[in-house]
């Protein structure tokens, strides 16, 4: 495997709110501008591509776009109780209670919405399309911090 293609984060960014579990300061509701970049490695196909850049950009955007300007809620957390009401979502944490409009929430099948797990989630969605490729996903949540998942 000598070839790799890279889509830089300017192609895939999203803004979202989240909170993490105690005892971190991130337990308060806050937001990030997330920048996602992807590397795909493989041999070349019959068109001499690792993957088609246009397809890769579109696929990546279609994964991150549904999270853009939403409140990210992890549905596999042991520490959150999630109650769906008619038009609202009630979230009960160890010591807090949030109520959000249903239309503002994006559920993620994750135990937490850390950048590490967001990278893994985006990776899993890309892997549905690029099953046999080695994929590396980087999620940058600030100028100096990013998480990577690759497999
Ligand atoms: Zn955060």
């Amino acid at each position: 495997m000598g070839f790799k293609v890279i889509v830089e984060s300017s192609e895939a960014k999203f803004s979202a709110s989240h909170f993490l579990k105690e005892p971190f300061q991130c337990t308060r509701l806050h937001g990030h501008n997330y920048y996602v970049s992807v590397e795909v490695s493989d041999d070349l196909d019959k068109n001499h591509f690792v993957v088609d850049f246009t397809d890769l950009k579109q696929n990546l955007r279609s994964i991150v776009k549904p999270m853009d300007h939403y409140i990210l809620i992890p549905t596999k957390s042991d520490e959150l109780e999630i109650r769906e009401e008619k038009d609202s979502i009630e979230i009960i944490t160890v010591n807090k209670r949030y109520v959000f409009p249903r239309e503002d929430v994006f559920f993620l099948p994750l135990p937490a919405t850390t950048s590490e797990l967001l990278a893994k989630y985006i990776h899993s969605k890309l892997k549905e399309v690029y099953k046999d490729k080695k994929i590396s996903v980087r999620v940058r949540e600030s100028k100096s911090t990013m998480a990577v998942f690759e497999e």
Side-chain angles (χ1 to χ4, degrees):
M1 271 211 261
F3 292 97
K4 179 186 281 188
V5 294
I6 301 172
V7 171
E8 292 281 7
S9 56
S10 54
E11 294 292 336
K13 56 187 181 219
F14 65 100
S15 304
S17 301
H18 79 154
F19 53 87
L20 302 177
K21 66 177 194 174
E22 300 284 354
F24 308 105
Q25 69 169 5
C26 296
T27 187
R28 290 192 295 275
L29 185 66
H30 65 282
H32 296 279
N33 294 315
Y34 292 98
Y35 290 84
V36 182
S37 59
V38 171
E39 297 181 10
V40 181
S41 307
D42 201 354
D43 294 325
L44 299 186
D45 65 14
K46 62 180 170 27
N47 298 315
H48 314 286
F49 292 142
V50 175
V51 294
D52 185 304
F53 273 123
T54 306
D55 291 344
L56 180 57
K57 285 181 195 174
Q58 279 175 358
N59 287 323
L60 182 57
R61 281 195 217 112
S62 74
I63 295 165
V64 303
K65 190 71 188 162
M67 297 189 276
D68 191 28
H69 288 75
Y70 280 85
I71 301 156
L72 306 180
I73 300 295
T75 58
K76 304 254 194 252
S77 169
D78 294 338
E79 302 187 354
L80 296 186
E81 185 182 332
I82 300 170
R83 292 186 193 151
E84 295 208 42
E85 317 239 322
K86 199 163 138 234
D87 298 321
S88 61
I89 301 294
E90 183 180 18
I91 311 284
I92 297 166
T93 70
V94 174
N95 55 7
K96 289 180 185 170
R97 175 178 165 271
Y98 295 103
V99 179
F100 300 118
R102 174 67 188 90
E103 63 186 18
D104 290 2
V105 170
F106 185 81
F107 289 115
L108 283 156
L110 301 172
T113 53
T114 60
S115 291
E116 289 87 335
L117 290 178
L118 290 175
K120 189 176 182 198
Y121 168 77
I122 294 164
H123 182 279
S124 73
K125 300 298 262 183
L126 284 170
K127 205 71 174 171
E128 290 172 9
V129 181
Y130 303 107
K131 293 179 179 65
D132 302 323
K133 316 266 185 220
K134 180 174 185 242
I135 300 173
S136 174
V137 175
R138 291 182 164 80
V139 173
R140 181 184 288 280
E141 68 167 36
S142 76
K143 274 188 175 165
S144 58
T145 54
M146 74 166 75
V148 182
F149 184 83
E150 55 192 3
E151 197 168 69

